[in-house]
PDB file of all heavy atoms in Angstrom:
ATOM      1  N   LEU G 464     108.145 107.580 156.209  1.00 91.00           N
ATOM      2  CA  LEU G 464     108.982 106.779 155.315  1.00 91.00           C
ATOM      3  C   LEU G 464     108.129 106.144 154.214  1.00 91.00           C
ATOM      4  O   LEU G 464     108.455 106.200 153.021  1.00 91.00           O
ATOM      5  CB  LEU G 464     109.704 105.696 156.115  1.00 91.00           C
ATOM      6  CG  LEU G 464     110.509 104.695 155.299  1.00 91.00           C
ATOM      7  CD1 LEU G 464     111.752 105.364 154.732  1.00 91.00           C
ATOM      8  CD2 LEU G 464     110.901 103.499 156.145  1.00 91.00           C
ATOM      9  N   LEU G 465     107.005 105.581 154.640  1.00 91.00           N
ATOM     10  CA  LEU G 465     106.131 104.881 153.708  1.00 91.00           C
ATOM     11  C   LEU G 465     105.583 105.830 152.649  1.00 91.00           C
ATOM     12  O   LEU G 465     105.525 105.506 151.466  1.00 91.00           O
ATOM     13  CB  LEU G 465     104.969 104.280 154.508  1.00 91.00           C
ATOM     14  CG  LEU G 465     104.390 102.964 154.058  1.00 91.00           C
ATOM     15  CD1 LEU G 465     105.488 101.941 153.936  1.00 91.00           C
ATOM     16  CD2 LEU G 465     103.350 102.493 155.059  1.00 91.00           C
ATOM     17  N   PHE G 466     105.201 107.025 153.093  1.00 93.00           N
ATOM     18  CA  PHE G 466     104.614 107.985 152.156  1.00 93.00           C
ATOM     19  C   PHE G 466     105.677 108.457 151.159  1.00 93.00           C
ATOM     20  O   PHE G 466     105.401 108.573 149.966  1.00 93.00           O
ATOM     21  CB  PHE G 466     104.014 109.169 152.909  1.00 93.00           C
ATOM     22  CG  PHE G 466     103.197 110.064 152.026  1.00 93.00           C
ATOM     23  CD1 PHE G 466     101.987 109.623 151.519  1.00 93.00           C
ATOM     24  CD2 PHE G 466     103.648 111.326 151.680  1.00 93.00           C
ATOM     25  CE1 PHE G 466     101.232 110.434 150.684  1.00 93.00           C
ATOM     26  CE2 PHE G 466     102.908 112.136 150.842  1.00 93.00           C
ATOM     27  CZ  PHE G 466     101.696 111.693 150.349  1.00 93.00           C
ATOM     28  N   SER G 467     106.899 108.680 151.650  1.00 93.00           N
ATOM     29  CA  SER G 467     107.961 109.089 150.732  1.00 93.00           C
ATOM     30  C   SER G 467     108.208 107.996 149.695  1.00 93.00           C
ATOM     31  O   SER G 467     108.367 108.281 148.506  1.00 93.00           O
ATOM     32  CB  SER G 467     109.269 109.349 151.479  1.00 93.00           C
ATOM     33  OG  SER G 467     109.023 109.917 152.718  1.00 93.00           O
ATOM     34  N   LEU G 468     108.244 106.745 150.148  1.00 91.00           N
ATOM     35  CA  LEU G 468     108.446 105.643 149.218  1.00 91.00           C
ATOM     36  C   LEU G 468     107.321 105.567 148.202  1.00 91.00           C
ATOM     37  O   LEU G 468     107.541 105.315 147.020  1.00 91.00           O
ATOM     38  CB  LEU G 468     108.502 104.321 149.980  1.00 91.00           C
ATOM     39  CG  LEU G 468     109.815 104.003 150.658  1.00 91.00           C
ATOM     40  CD1 LEU G 468     109.625 102.844 151.617  1.00 91.00           C
ATOM     41  CD2 LEU G 468     110.866 103.665 149.618  1.00 91.00           C
ATOM     42  N   PHE G 469     106.089 105.796 148.681  1.00 92.00           N
ATOM     43  CA  PHE G 469     104.934 105.736 147.795  1.00 92.00           C
ATOM     44  C   PHE G 469     105.056 106.797 146.709  1.00 92.00           C
ATOM     45  O   PHE G 469     104.926 106.505 145.520  1.00 92.00           O
ATOM     46  CB  PHE G 469     103.650 105.931 148.598  1.00 92.00           C
ATOM     47  CG  PHE G 469     102.426 106.128 147.752  1.00 92.00           C
ATOM     48  CD1 PHE G 469     101.885 105.066 147.042  1.00 92.00           C
ATOM     49  CD2 PHE G 469     101.825 107.369 147.649  1.00 92.00           C
ATOM     50  CE1 PHE G 469     100.765 105.242 146.252  1.00 92.00           C
ATOM     51  CE2 PHE G 469     100.705 107.558 146.869  1.00 92.00           C
ATOM     52  CZ  PHE G 469     100.173 106.487 146.161  1.00 92.00           C
ATOM     53  N   VAL G 470     105.342 108.027 147.124  1.00 93.00           N
ATOM     54  CA  VAL G 470     105.417 109.118 146.153  1.00 93.00           C
ATOM     55  C   VAL G 470     106.569 108.863 145.186  1.00 93.00           C
ATOM     56  O   VAL G 470     106.425 109.006 143.970  1.00 93.00           O
ATOM     57  CB  VAL G 470     105.593 110.465 146.876  1.00 93.00           C
ATOM     58  CG1 VAL G 470     105.865 111.579 145.881  1.00 93.00           C
ATOM     59  CG2 VAL G 470     104.349 110.788 147.682  1.00 93.00           C
ATOM     60  N   TYR G 471     107.710 108.432 145.744  1.00 92.00           N
ATOM     61  CA  TYR G 471     108.882 108.165 144.901  1.00 92.00           C
ATOM     62  C   TYR G 471     108.563 107.088 143.860  1.00 92.00           C
ATOM     63  O   TYR G 471     108.808 107.256 142.659  1.00 92.00           O
ATOM     64  CB  TYR G 471     110.041 107.733 145.797  1.00 92.00           C
ATOM     65  CG  TYR G 471     111.234 107.209 145.045  1.00 92.00           C
ATOM     66  CD1 TYR G 471     112.091 108.086 144.384  1.00 92.00           C
ATOM     67  CD2 TYR G 471     111.487 105.845 144.989  1.00 92.00           C
ATOM     68  CE1 TYR G 471     113.177 107.610 143.683  1.00 92.00           C
ATOM     69  CE2 TYR G 471     112.579 105.362 144.289  1.00 92.00           C
ATOM     70  CZ  TYR G 471     113.421 106.245 143.628  1.00 92.00           C
ATOM     71  OH  TYR G 471     114.484 105.763 142.937  1.00 92.00           O
ATOM     72  N   THR G 472     107.996 105.971 144.323  1.00 90.00           N
ATOM     73  CA  THR G 472     107.734 104.860 143.406  1.00 90.00           C
ATOM     74  C   THR G 472     106.654 105.212 142.401  1.00 90.00           C
ATOM     75  O   THR G 472     106.747 104.858 141.218  1.00 90.00           O
ATOM     76  CB  THR G 472     107.318 103.612 144.196  1.00 90.00           C
ATOM     77  OG1 THR G 472     108.208 103.448 145.278  1.00 90.00           O
ATOM     78  CG2 THR G 472     107.356 102.381 143.332  1.00 90.00           C
ATOM     79  N   LEU G 473     105.634 105.936 142.850  1.00 91.00           N
ATOM     80  CA  LEU G 473     104.573 106.338 141.933  1.00 91.00           C
ATOM     81  C   LEU G 473     105.162 107.228 140.839  1.00 91.00           C
ATOM     82  O   LEU G 473     104.883 107.044 139.651  1.00 91.00           O
ATOM     83  CB  LEU G 473     103.465 107.071 142.702  1.00 91.00           C
ATOM     84  CG  LEU G 473     102.245 107.454 141.879  1.00 91.00           C
ATOM     85  CD1 LEU G 473     101.503 106.213 141.414  1.00 91.00           C
ATOM     86  CD2 LEU G 473     101.298 108.349 142.681  1.00 91.00           C
ATOM     87  N   THR G 474     106.000 108.173 141.241  1.00 91.00           N
ATOM     88  CA  THR G 474     106.629 109.057 140.264  1.00 91.00           C
ATOM     89  C   THR G 474     107.471 108.249 139.280  1.00 91.00           C
ATOM     90  O   THR G 474     107.440 108.481 138.069  1.00 91.00           O
ATOM     91  CB  THR G 474     107.535 110.071 140.991  1.00 91.00           C
ATOM     92  OG1 THR G 474     106.866 110.510 142.161  1.00 91.00           O
ATOM     93  CG2 THR G 474     107.835 111.247 140.116  1.00 91.00           C
ATOM     94  N   ARG G 475     108.227 107.293 139.802  1.00 89.00           N
ATOM     95  CA  ARG G 475     109.037 106.452 138.922  1.00 89.00           C
ATOM     96  C   ARG G 475     108.170 105.705 137.919  1.00 89.00           C
ATOM     97  O   ARG G 475     108.498 105.622 136.737  1.00 89.00           O
ATOM     98  CB  ARG G 475     109.826 105.429 139.744  1.00 89.00           C
ATOM     99  CG  ARG G 475     111.021 105.992 140.480  1.00 89.00           C
ATOM    100  CD  ARG G 475     112.138 106.344 139.513  1.00 89.00           C
ATOM    101  NE  ARG G 475     112.502 105.222 138.669  1.00 89.00           N
ATOM    102  CZ  ARG G 475     113.509 104.397 138.903  1.00 89.00           C
ATOM    103  NH1 ARG G 475     114.265 104.587 139.948  1.00 89.00           N
ATOM    104  NH2 ARG G 475     113.778 103.403 138.096  1.00 89.00           N
ATOM    105  N   LYS G 476     107.070 105.156 138.401  1.00 89.00           N
ATOM    106  CA  LYS G 476     106.202 104.387 137.510  1.00 89.00           C
ATOM    107  C   LYS G 476     105.598 105.299 136.447  1.00 89.00           C
ATOM    108  O   LYS G 476     105.438 104.899 135.292  1.00 89.00           O
ATOM    109  CB  LYS G 476     105.085 103.702 138.305  1.00 89.00           C
ATOM    110  CG  LYS G 476     105.531 102.417 139.006  1.00 89.00           C
ATOM    111  CD  LYS G 476     104.372 101.808 139.773  1.00 89.00           C
ATOM    112  CE  LYS G 476     104.822 100.782 140.783  1.00 89.00           C
ATOM    113  NZ  LYS G 476     105.149  99.482 140.207  1.00 89.00           N
ATOM    114  N   ILE G 477     105.250 106.511 136.856  1.00 90.00           N
ATOM    115  CA  ILE G 477     104.671 107.443 135.893  1.00 90.00           C
ATOM    116  C   ILE G 477     105.730 107.846 134.872  1.00 90.00           C
ATOM    117  O   ILE G 477     105.473 107.884 133.668  1.00 90.00           O
ATOM    118  CB  ILE G 477     104.099 108.686 136.612  1.00 90.00           C
ATOM    119  CG1 ILE G 477     102.910 108.271 137.481  1.00 90.00           C
ATOM    120  CG2 ILE G 477     103.670 109.735 135.608  1.00 90.00           C
ATOM    121  CD1 ILE G 477     102.426 109.339 138.419  1.00 90.00           C
ATOM    122  N   GLN G 478     106.946 108.137 135.346  1.00 88.00           N
ATOM    123  CA  GLN G 478     108.020 108.515 134.426  1.00 88.00           C
ATOM    124  C   GLN G 478     108.326 107.384 133.464  1.00 88.00           C
ATOM    125  O   GLN G 478     108.600 107.603 132.291  1.00 88.00           O
ATOM    126  CB  GLN G 478     109.287 108.884 135.215  1.00 88.00           C
ATOM    127  CG  GLN G 478     109.174 110.168 136.014  1.00 88.00           C
ATOM    128  CD  GLN G 478     108.788 111.368 135.172  1.00 88.00           C
ATOM    129  OE1 GLN G 478     108.954 111.369 133.957  1.00 88.00           O
ATOM    130  NE2 GLN G 478     108.227 112.387 135.797  1.00 88.00           N
TER     131      GLN G 478
END
Side-chain angles (χ1 to χ4, degrees):
Chain G
L464 174 71
L465 214 54
F466 190 70
S467 324
L468 281 167
F469 170 72
V470 172
Y471 170 76
T472 314
L473 184 66
T474 319
R475 285 288 306 263
K476 280 180 196 282
I477 294 169
Q478 291 304 339

